[in-house]
Amino acid sequence: MKKPIEALGAHTMEITATTLRNRLLNRVRLRHLHLFVKVADLHTVKRAAEAVGISQPTATQTLADLEHLLEVPLFLRHAHGMRLTAAGDLLLPLARRSLQLIDETATYAAAMAQGSRTVVRVAAISAAMGGALGRAIPDFARAYPDVLVQLQEADAARQAALVANGDVDCAICRAPAVLPEGWSFTPVWDDRFVVVAGPAHPLARKRSTSMAELLEATWLVTPASVAAREAFDALTAQASGKVNTCNVVTASATMVWRLLSQQPLVALVPRSMVERLIEVGQLVELPWPLQLPLGPIGILAPVGEAGQALNLFIGFITGPGTPPT
């Protein structure tokens, strides 16, 4: 019969990190971690069991097995579902990371089986994804078919975490306020702020737009973590009254386009983020009297020796054939 689960920090003296490590290596399966994460996300064993594809009794037993292996309770059971304990809250990010490594292993193995020989992991801000990087990646993929590019979109805060954890080989971003130790930033593409609207917006048909007209418009704004929000706040600081804003806040180029095409809104965004939409006429760049400073987009990468895939990627992005903004 299994002994009762101890509270976090109340282990008996014989339970050591080495003992637990050996126990986990020998007895924990990926299904334990998968179920743990699903219960944390869905808050009930029943829904988690359905998501994992096992019966509820099996899920209940699997979760109990994991708690006994760890000798800490992971969840508090109550009438409305499951809530993480202090131990569960601490261990959940580690379980997510373990499953993420399985995903990466599957991705890499499948790519190697299909002919890729090496991998470069890249995180890019949305402005780069919608602009010059979006044009460069297909060219790089054609030029180096044996290199797998694992590309994800991430804002500056998320990129900082990815760099700190060693989860990316480089980042496509604007120059960070503080460079990570051992990393350098190389500017690649110039950029500028633009004010855009949908083709049907009344201001889209004008040859010039005054500040008064802009301040009277209804704005779609970006989150506070995005450079465009700081620029918007500086731009509208001169308004005598309240500036009208949409009740949606987004840094997604797709959502900017959808909202501006369906509602009479304007938005202040980096041109790189929406340049393709401007080129095909789905958004219109409004002529406006100000120029707000915006740093270039570049590549943040480790200083010194790098792997072959990263060297190829950096050379391609920063080389003379780099697509212009």
mmCIF file of all heavy atoms in Angstrom, residues 52-91:
data_model
loop_
_atom_site.group_PDB
_atom_site.id
_atom_site.type_symbol
_atom_site.label_atom_id
_atom_site.label_comp_id
_atom_site.label_asym_id
_atom_site.label_seq_id
_atom_site.Cartn_x
_atom_site.Cartn_y
_atom_site.Cartn_z
ATOM 1 N N VAL A 52 -5.587 13.544 -23.467
ATOM 2 C CA VAL A 52 -4.446 12.650 -23.602
ATOM 3 C C VAL A 52 -4.830 11.372 -24.337
ATOM 4 O O VAL A 52 -3.993 10.727 -24.957
ATOM 5 C CB VAL A 52 -3.857 12.336 -22.209
ATOM 6 C CG1 VAL A 52 -2.759 11.287 -22.280
ATOM 7 C CG2 VAL A 52 -3.317 13.618 -21.571
ATOM 8 N N GLY A 53 -6.124 11.005 -24.241
ATOM 9 C CA GLY A 53 -6.587 9.807 -24.923
ATOM 10 C C GLY A 53 -6.561 8.560 -24.065
ATOM 11 O O GLY A 53 -6.311 7.461 -24.557
ATOM 12 N N ILE A 54 -6.819 8.728 -22.761
ATOM 13 C CA ILE A 54 -6.894 7.593 -21.854
ATOM 14 C C ILE A 54 -8.179 7.704 -21.041
ATOM 15 O O ILE A 54 -8.851 8.746 -21.041
ATOM 16 C CB ILE A 54 -5.677 7.531 -20.907
ATOM 17 C CG1 ILE A 54 -5.577 8.826 -20.077
ATOM 18 C CG2 ILE A 54 -4.394 7.295 -21.695
ATOM 19 C CD1 ILE A 54 -4.421 8.827 -19.084
ATOM 20 N N SER A 55 -8.534 6.633 -20.336
ATOM 21 C CA SER A 55 -9.752 6.654 -19.529
ATOM 22 C C SER A 55 -9.526 7.482 -18.269
ATOM 23 O O SER A 55 -8.392 7.681 -17.823
ATOM 24 C CB SER A 55 -10.149 5.230 -19.141
ATOM 25 O OG SER A 55 -9.194 4.680 -18.241
ATOM 26 N N GLN A 56 -10.618 7.955 -17.686
ATOM 27 C CA GLN A 56 -10.496 8.750 -16.466
ATOM 28 C C GLN A 56 -9.891 7.948 -15.313
ATOM 29 O O GLN A 56 -9.018 8.478 -14.605
ATOM 30 C CB GLN A 56 -11.857 9.333 -16.066
ATOM 31 C CG GLN A 56 -11.759 10.255 -14.851
ATOM 32 C CD GLN A 56 -13.058 10.974 -14.570
ATOM 33 O OE1 GLN A 56 -13.955 11.006 -15.407
ATOM 34 N NE2 GLN A 56 -13.176 11.564 -13.390
ATOM 35 N N PRO A 57 -10.291 6.683 -15.078
ATOM 36 C CA PRO A 57 -9.635 5.916 -14.005
ATOM 37 C C PRO A 57 -8.133 5.773 -14.234
ATOM 38 O O PRO A 57 -7.344 5.869 -13.280
ATOM 39 C CB PRO A 57 -10.351 4.568 -14.061
ATOM 40 C CG PRO A 57 -11.684 4.871 -14.646
ATOM 41 C CD PRO A 57 -11.433 5.949 -15.650
ATOM 42 N N THR A 58 -7.718 5.554 -15.477
ATOM 43 C CA THR A 58 -6.293 5.440 -15.771
ATOM 44 C C THR A 58 -5.578 6.757 -15.505
ATOM 45 O O THR A 58 -4.469 6.785 -14.959
ATOM 46 C CB THR A 58 -6.081 5.016 -17.234
ATOM 47 O OG1 THR A 58 -6.689 3.742 -17.446
ATOM 48 C CG2 THR A 58 -4.600 4.928 -17.574
ATOM 49 N N ALA A 59 -6.235 7.851 -15.865
ATOM 50 C CA ALA A 59 -5.637 9.166 -15.627
ATOM 51 C C ALA A 59 -5.496 9.436 -14.132
ATOM 52 O O ALA A 59 -4.463 9.952 -13.680
ATOM 53 C CB ALA A 59 -6.495 10.249 -16.276
ATOM 54 N N THR A 60 -6.519 9.101 -13.363
ATOM 55 C CA THR A 60 -6.469 9.298 -11.908
ATOM 56 C C THR A 60 -5.322 8.504 -11.304
ATOM 57 O O THR A 60 -4.566 9.011 -10.462
ATOM 58 C CB THR A 60 -7.803 8.877 -11.271
ATOM 59 O OG1 THR A 60 -8.853 9.685 -11.816
ATOM 60 C CG2 THR A 60 -7.762 9.056 -9.762
ATOM 61 N N GLN A 61 -5.166 7.256 -11.732
ATOM 62 C CA GLN A 61 -4.097 6.410 -11.207
ATOM 63 C C GLN A 61 -2.724 6.926 -11.651
ATOM 64 O O GLN A 61 -1.767 6.929 -10.871
ATOM 65 C CB GLN A 61 -4.284 4.966 -11.683
ATOM 66 C CG GLN A 61 -3.268 3.987 -11.096
ATOM 67 C CD GLN A 61 -3.343 3.939 -9.583
ATOM 68 O OE1 GLN A 61 -4.424 3.726 -9.009
ATOM 69 N NE2 GLN A 61 -2.206 4.154 -8.922
ATOM 70 N N THR A 62 -2.627 7.386 -12.897
ATOM 71 C CA THR A 62 -1.358 7.901 -13.410
ATOM 72 C C THR A 62 -0.912 9.125 -12.633
ATOM 73 O O THR A 62 0.267 9.264 -12.276
ATOM 74 C CB THR A 62 -1.498 8.247 -14.909
ATOM 75 O OG1 THR A 62 -1.837 7.065 -15.635
ATOM 76 C CG2 THR A 62 -0.204 8.831 -15.466
ATOM 77 N N LEU A 63 -1.850 10.017 -12.348
ATOM 78 C CA LEU A 63 -1.523 11.221 -11.590
ATOM 79 C C LEU A 63 -1.118 10.867 -10.164
ATOM 80 O O LEU A 63 -0.155 11.422 -9.615
ATOM 81 C CB LEU A 63 -2.718 12.173 -11.592
ATOM 82 C CG LEU A 63 -2.473 13.576 -11.024
ATOM 83 C CD1 LEU A 63 -1.384 14.282 -11.801
ATOM 84 C CD2 LEU A 63 -3.766 14.384 -11.058
ATOM 85 N N ALA A 64 -1.835 9.929 -9.568
ATOM 86 C CA ALA A 64 -1.479 9.488 -8.217
ATOM 87 C C ALA A 64 -0.086 8.862 -8.199
ATOM 88 O O ALA A 64 0.699 9.088 -7.273
ATOM 89 C CB ALA A 64 -2.522 8.499 -7.709
ATOM 90 N N ASP A 65 0.228 8.070 -9.225
ATOM 91 C CA ASP A 65 1.557 7.456 -9.322
ATOM 92 C C ASP A 65 2.648 8.525 -9.358
ATOM 93 O O ASP A 65 3.690 8.398 -8.693
ATOM 94 C CB ASP A 65 1.656 6.586 -10.575
ATOM 95 C CG ASP A 65 0.835 5.313 -10.478
ATOM 96 O OD1 ASP A 65 0.442 4.947 -9.349
ATOM 97 O OD2 ASP A 65 0.572 4.706 -11.533
ATOM 98 N N LEU A 66 2.418 9.587 -10.149
ATOM 99 C CA LEU A 66 3.423 10.639 -10.264
ATOM 100 C C LEU A 66 3.618 11.346 -8.925
ATOM 101 O O LEU A 66 4.750 11.631 -8.517
ATOM 102 C CB LEU A 66 3.009 11.646 -11.344
ATOM 103 C CG LEU A 66 3.965 12.819 -11.575
ATOM 104 C CD1 LEU A 66 5.349 12.329 -11.978
ATOM 105 C CD2 LEU A 66 3.411 13.769 -12.632
ATOM 106 N N GLU A 67 2.523 11.628 -8.242
ATOM 107 C CA GLU A 67 2.629 12.305 -6.946
ATOM 108 C C GLU A 67 3.375 11.441 -5.933
ATOM 109 O O GLU A 67 4.174 11.950 -5.134
ATOM 110 C CB GLU A 67 1.240 12.677 -6.438
ATOM 111 C CG GLU A 67 0.586 13.798 -7.252
ATOM 112 C CD GLU A 67 -0.782 14.188 -6.749
ATOM 113 O OE1 GLU A 67 -1.582 13.273 -6.448
ATOM 114 O OE2 GLU A 67 -1.057 15.389 -6.637
ATOM 115 N N HIS A 68 3.147 10.145 -5.953
ATOM 116 C CA HIS A 68 3.852 9.261 -5.027
ATOM 117 C C HIS A 68 5.314 9.101 -5.404
ATOM 118 O O HIS A 68 6.180 8.985 -4.520
ATOM 119 C CB HIS A 68 3.147 7.901 -4.965
ATOM 120 C CG HIS A 68 1.959 7.895 -4.055
ATOM 121 N ND1 HIS A 68 2.058 7.788 -2.686
ATOM 122 C CD2 HIS A 68 0.633 8.017 -4.319
ATOM 123 C CE1 HIS A 68 0.858 7.829 -2.141
ATOM 124 N NE2 HIS A 68 -0.031 7.970 -3.114
ATOM 125 N N LEU A 69 5.617 9.115 -6.692
ATOM 126 C CA LEU A 69 7.009 9.060 -7.105
ATOM 127 C C LEU A 69 7.775 10.305 -6.648
ATOM 128 O O LEU A 69 8.916 10.235 -6.207
ATOM 129 C CB LEU A 69 7.105 8.918 -8.627
ATOM 130 C CG LEU A 69 6.740 7.556 -9.213
ATOM 131 C CD1 LEU A 69 6.650 7.648 -10.736
ATOM 132 C CD2 LEU A 69 7.756 6.502 -8.812
ATOM 133 N N LEU A 70 7.130 11.467 -6.759
ATOM 134 C CA LEU A 70 7.750 12.723 -6.349
ATOM 135 C C LEU A 70 7.682 12.945 -4.844
ATOM 136 O O LEU A 70 8.440 13.738 -4.291
ATOM 137 C CB LEU A 70 7.065 13.893 -7.066
ATOM 138 C CG LEU A 70 7.239 13.962 -8.582
ATOM 139 C CD1 LEU A 70 6.315 15.013 -9.173
ATOM 140 C CD2 LEU A 70 8.686 14.277 -8.939
ATOM 141 N N GLU A 71 6.723 12.262 -4.204
ATOM 142 C CA GLU A 71 6.435 12.412 -2.763
ATOM 143 C C GLU A 71 5.996 13.826 -2.409
ATOM 144 O O GLU A 71 6.265 14.327 -1.312
ATOM 145 C CB GLU A 71 7.643 11.975 -1.938
ATOM 146 C CG GLU A 71 8.012 10.523 -2.168
ATOM 147 C CD GLU A 71 8.579 9.842 -0.939
ATOM 148 O OE1 GLU A 71 8.499 10.427 0.155
ATOM 149 O OE2 GLU A 71 9.083 8.720 -1.078
ATOM 150 N N VAL A 72 5.315 14.477 -3.329
ATOM 151 C CA VAL A 72 4.680 15.763 -3.062
ATOM 152 C C VAL A 72 3.338 15.796 -3.787
ATOM 153 O O VAL A 72 3.205 15.230 -4.877
ATOM 154 C CB VAL A 72 5.530 16.964 -3.542
ATOM 155 C CG1 VAL A 72 6.784 17.115 -2.708
ATOM 156 C CG2 VAL A 72 5.869 16.853 -5.013
ATOM 157 N N PRO A 73 2.326 16.422 -3.207
ATOM 158 C CA PRO A 73 1.060 16.589 -3.926
ATOM 159 C C PRO A 73 1.203 17.675 -4.981
ATOM 160 O O PRO A 73 1.787 18.731 -4.737
ATOM 161 C CB PRO A 73 0.086 17.020 -2.827
ATOM 162 C CG PRO A 73 0.942 17.697 -1.813
ATOM 163 C CD PRO A 73 2.280 17.004 -1.850
ATOM 164 N N LEU A 74 0.691 17.426 -6.161
ATOM 165 C CA LEU A 74 0.765 18.389 -7.255
ATOM 166 C C LEU A 74 -0.490 19.236 -7.373
ATOM 167 O O LEU A 74 -0.452 20.345 -7.906
ATOM 168 C CB LEU A 74 1.015 17.661 -8.580
ATOM 169 C CG LEU A 74 2.318 16.853 -8.652
ATOM 170 C CD1 LEU A 74 2.370 16.047 -9.942
ATOM 171 C CD2 LEU A 74 3.524 17.774 -8.538
ATOM 172 N N PHE A 75 -1.629 18.696 -6.888
ATOM 173 C CA PHE A 75 -2.907 19.390 -7.027
ATOM 174 C C PHE A 75 -3.690 19.332 -5.727
ATOM 175 O O PHE A 75 -3.573 18.384 -4.941
ATOM 176 C CB PHE A 75 -3.756 18.754 -8.138
ATOM 177 C CG PHE A 75 -3.186 18.915 -9.515
ATOM 178 C CD1 PHE A 75 -2.403 17.907 -10.080
ATOM 179 C CD2 PHE A 75 -3.410 20.071 -10.245
ATOM 180 C CE1 PHE A 75 -1.864 18.045 -11.343
ATOM 181 C CE2 PHE A 75 -2.873 20.215 -11.517
ATOM 182 C CZ PHE A 75 -2.098 19.207 -12.063
ATOM 183 N N LEU A 76 -4.489 20.358 -5.533
ATOM 184 C CA LEU A 76 -5.523 20.351 -4.493
ATOM 185 C C LEU A 76 -6.836 19.996 -5.157
ATOM 186 O O LEU A 76 -7.223 20.617 -6.153
ATOM 187 C CB LEU A 76 -5.625 21.727 -3.824
ATOM 188 C CG LEU A 76 -4.380 22.200 -3.054
ATOM 189 C CD1 LEU A 76 -4.572 23.632 -2.579
ATOM 190 C CD2 LEU A 76 -4.095 21.274 -1.875
ATOM 191 N N ARG A 77 -7.515 18.982 -4.644
ATOM 192 C CA ARG A 77 -8.789 18.564 -5.210
ATOM 193 C C ARG A 77 -9.905 19.314 -4.501
ATOM 194 O O ARG A 77 -9.941 19.359 -3.262
ATOM 195 C CB ARG A 77 -9.003 17.065 -5.031
ATOM 196 C CG ARG A 77 -8.252 16.170 -5.999
ATOM 197 C CD ARG A 77 -6.785 16.026 -5.669
ATOM 198 N NE ARG A 77 -6.164 14.977 -6.494
ATOM 199 C CZ ARG A 77 -4.861 14.794 -6.575
ATOM 200 N NH1 ARG A 77 -4.023 15.569 -5.882
ATOM 201 N NH2 ARG A 77 -4.382 13.828 -7.341
ATOM 202 N N HIS A 78 -10.803 19.901 -5.282
ATOM 203 C CA HIS A 78 -11.973 20.565 -4.691
ATOM 204 C C HIS A 78 -13.161 20.372 -5.614
ATOM 205 O O HIS A 78 -13.039 19.800 -6.709
ATOM 206 C CB HIS A 78 -11.692 22.051 -4.439
ATOM 207 C CG HIS A 78 -11.242 22.816 -5.642
ATOM 208 N ND1 HIS A 78 -12.110 23.364 -6.546
ATOM 209 C CD2 HIS A 78 -9.997 23.118 -6.092
ATOM 210 C CE1 HIS A 78 -11.433 23.976 -7.507
ATOM 211 N NE2 HIS A 78 -10.146 23.843 -7.249
ATOM 212 N N ALA A 79 -14.297 20.846 -5.180
ATOM 213 C CA ALA A 79 -15.548 20.563 -5.898
ATOM 214 C C ALA A 79 -15.556 21.119 -7.312
ATOM 215 O O ALA A 79 -16.241 20.589 -8.190
ATOM 216 C CB ALA A 79 -16.733 21.131 -5.116
ATOM 217 N N HIS A 80 -14.805 22.181 -7.548
ATOM 218 C CA HIS A 80 -14.832 22.820 -8.856
ATOM 219 C C HIS A 80 -13.662 22.401 -9.749
ATOM 220 O O HIS A 80 -13.464 22.977 -10.815
ATOM 221 C CB HIS A 80 -14.824 24.344 -8.685
ATOM 222 C CG HIS A 80 -16.001 24.850 -7.907
ATOM 223 N ND1 HIS A 80 -17.286 24.818 -8.397
ATOM 224 C CD2 HIS A 80 -16.082 25.369 -6.649
ATOM 225 C CE1 HIS A 80 -18.110 25.311 -7.490
ATOM 226 N NE2 HIS A 80 -17.411 25.650 -6.423
ATOM 227 N N GLY A 81 -12.884 21.409 -9.322
ATOM 228 C CA GLY A 81 -11.801 20.937 -10.168
ATOM 229 C C GLY A 81 -10.491 20.798 -9.422
ATOM 230 O O GLY A 81 -10.468 20.523 -8.217
ATOM 231 N N MET A 82 -9.404 21.008 -10.134
ATOM 232 C CA MET A 82 -8.060 20.796 -9.602
ATOM 233 C C MET A 82 -7.294 22.115 -9.612
ATOM 234 O O MET A 82 -7.343 22.867 -10.588
ATOM 235 C CB MET A 82 -7.316 19.765 -10.451
ATOM 236 C CG MET A 82 -8.078 18.483 -10.728
ATOM 237 S SD MET A 82 -8.012 17.334 -9.367
ATOM 238 C CE MET A 82 -6.381 16.627 -9.629
ATOM 239 N N ARG A 83 -6.582 22.372 -8.528
ATOM 240 C CA ARG A 83 -5.765 23.576 -8.436
ATOM 241 C C ARG A 83 -4.353 23.184 -8.028
ATOM 242 O O ARG A 83 -4.159 22.335 -7.153
ATOM 243 C CB ARG A 83 -6.366 24.549 -7.426
ATOM 244 C CG ARG A 83 -5.612 25.863 -7.292
ATOM 245 C CD ARG A 83 -6.479 26.891 -6.571
ATOM 246 N NE ARG A 83 -6.900 26.430 -5.269
ATOM 247 C CZ ARG A 83 -6.203 26.607 -4.136
ATOM 248 N NH1 ARG A 83 -5.022 27.191 -4.188
ATOM 249 N NH2 ARG A 83 -6.676 26.181 -2.990
ATOM 250 N N LEU A 84 -3.363 23.780 -8.660
ATOM 251 C CA LEU A 84 -1.974 23.451 -8.378
ATOM 252 C C LEU A 84 -1.585 23.781 -6.946
ATOM 253 O O LEU A 84 -1.981 24.814 -6.402
ATOM 254 C CB LEU A 84 -1.043 24.221 -9.323
ATOM 255 C CG LEU A 84 -0.957 23.743 -10.773
ATOM 256 C CD1 LEU A 84 -0.239 24.784 -11.623
ATOM 257 C CD2 LEU A 84 -0.241 22.401 -10.872
ATOM 258 N N THR A 85 -0.815 22.896 -6.323
ATOM 259 C CA THR A 85 -0.189 23.198 -5.043
ATOM 260 C C THR A 85 1.067 24.027 -5.297
ATOM 261 O O THR A 85 1.452 24.281 -6.451
ATOM 262 C CB THR A 85 0.212 21.907 -4.327
ATOM 263 O OG1 THR A 85 1.186 21.217 -5.152
ATOM 264 C CG2 THR A 85 -0.986 20.987 -4.089
ATOM 265 N N ALA A 86 1.734 24.429 -4.229
ATOM 266 C CA ALA A 86 2.994 25.158 -4.389
ATOM 267 C C ALA A 86 4.013 24.304 -5.142
ATOM 268 O O ALA A 86 4.743 24.795 -6.010
ATOM 269 C CB ALA A 86 3.533 25.563 -3.022
ATOM 270 N N ALA A 87 4.031 23.001 -4.830
ATOM 271 C CA ALA A 87 4.962 22.101 -5.519
ATOM 272 C C ALA A 87 4.591 21.965 -6.986
ATOM 273 O O ALA A 87 5.452 21.993 -7.868
ATOM 274 C CB ALA A 87 4.956 20.728 -4.844
ATOM 275 N N GLY A 88 3.293 21.815 -7.252
ATOM 276 C CA GLY A 88 2.851 21.695 -8.635
ATOM 277 C C GLY A 88 3.183 22.926 -9.448
ATOM 278 O O GLY A 88 3.615 22.838 -10.598
ATOM 279 N N ASP A 89 2.985 24.100 -8.842
ATOM 280 C CA ASP A 89 3.282 25.359 -9.532
ATOM 281 C C ASP A 89 4.772 25.467 -9.847
ATOM 282 O O ASP A 89 5.166 25.993 -10.886
ATOM 283 C CB ASP A 89 2.829 26.522 -8.643
ATOM 284 C CG ASP A 89 2.816 27.845 -9.396
ATOM 285 O OD1 ASP A 89 2.207 27.904 -10.478
ATOM 286 O OD2 ASP A 89 3.416 28.803 -8.900
ATOM 287 N N LEU A 90 5.604 24.958 -8.952
ATOM 288 C CA LEU A 90 7.046 24.997 -9.155
ATOM 289 C C LEU A 90 7.499 24.022 -10.240
ATOM 290 O O LEU A 90 8.387 24.324 -11.054
ATOM 291 C CB LEU A 90 7.761 24.668 -7.838
ATOM 292 C CG LEU A 90 9.288 24.639 -7.850
ATOM 293 C CD1 LEU A 90 9.849 26.038 -8.097
ATOM 294 C CD2 LEU A 90 9.818 24.082 -6.530
ATOM 295 N N LEU A 91 6.885 22.849 -10.278
ATOM 296 C CA LEU A 91 7.321 21.795 -11.190
ATOM 297 C C LEU A 91 6.694 21.879 -12.582
ATOM 298 O O LEU A 91 7.224 21.313 -13.537
ATOM 299 C CB LEU A 91 7.003 20.424 -10.583
ATOM 300 C CG LEU A 91 7.754 20.092 -9.291
ATOM 301 C CD1 LEU A 91 7.262 18.777 -8.714
ATOM 302 C CD2 LEU A 91 9.250 20.030 -9.537
#
